[in-house]
Amino acid sequence: MPYWLMKSEPDELSILDLQRLGQARWDGVRNYQARNFLRSMQVDDLMFFYHSSCPQPGIAGIARIASAHYPDPAALEPESPYFDAKASDTKNPWSAVDVAFVEAFKQVIPLATLKNQTALLGLPLVQKGSRLSVMPVSADEWAAVLSLR
DNA sequence: GCCAACGTTGGC
DNA sequence: GCCAACGTTGGC
């Protein structure tokens, strides 16, 4: 079963928001590589929930993929920040999935800590210049992060 | 707020 | 197909 890591700005959706909601739509992915990863997800895959662009960037918890991918409705909504004029009902290039809350870590595992782990050197998250917002995580990387809780 | 790095756009 | 310009990401 594949594992994933997905970035969210906690101002938009934090792990505690997801805990309160139970489930939420993961939309607004506007990068083809990230979108392709969304499309290869299976229901019940697990993902690390990463907080980005915030005072304490890091992995904040775990969620579960709760739906197959589907066309991202936000791309069709003119009021949405994720609106894409090139998207239409019949041709929507963007995808979304639903995710369900699994666990909120007592403390966020800081990016600086993740960068110190030899086991995580292959993870795009810690690589210089990488901006990928959805990425696969190997079983070894998954275990390495869990050991930091 | 700064800035490095990246992805996309569009002229040629 | 090249590449400069631009907008965005995201840590610090």
Side-chain angles (χ1 to χ4, degrees):
Chain A
M1 171 116 53
Y3 298 104
W4 307 97
L5 182 145
M6 299 171 77
K7 296 181 186 173
S8 177
E9 301 189 12
D11 285 352
E12 283 285 317
L13 181 74
S14 71
I15 188 72
L16 293 180
D17 293 333
L18 184 62
Q19 181 168 34
R20 182 162 31 80
L21 296 166
Q23 189 162 321
R25 170 179 294 156
W26 204 281
D27 60 6
V29 171
R30 293 294 177 268
N31 167 283
Y32 287 105
Q33 196 183 356
R35 181 209 63 183
N36 291 343
F37 285 131
L38 278 185
R39 291 184 175 179
S40 63
M41 290 177 176
Q42 306 284 325
V43 172
D44 287 340
D45 285 355
L46 293 175
M47 54 165 271
F48 286 129
F49 194 117
Y50 180 86
H51 285 176
S52 69
S53 297
C54 59
Q56 203 190 44
I59 296 179
I62 298 174
R64 179 175 54 80
I65 306 305
S67 79
H69 69 88
Y70 53 90
D72 182 354
L76 306 176
E77 296 162 2
E79 324 76 38
S80 168
Y82 305 125
F83 177 68
D84 179 356
K86 294 193 290 293
S88 70
D89 252 328
T90 48
K91 282 202 97 169
N92 185 341
W94 303 117
S95 296
V97 295
D98 295 337
V99 303
F101 175 79
V102 173
E103 174 181 343
F105 296 160
K106 289 204 184 66
Q107 307 189 30
V108 172
I109 303 171
L111 178 60
T113 302
L114 300 170
K115 282 182 170 169
N116 282 335
Q117 308 303 312
T118 345
L120 300 179
L121 288 177
L123 196 61
L125 180 75
V126 303
Q127 289 165 8
K128 184 179 163 68
S130 172
R131 305 190 314 200
L132 193 59
S133 63
V134 179
M135 68 192 76
V137 173
S138 72
D140 286 350
E141 291 163 344
W142 184 266
V145 172
L146 288 187
S147 75
L148 299 169
R149 272 182 301 182

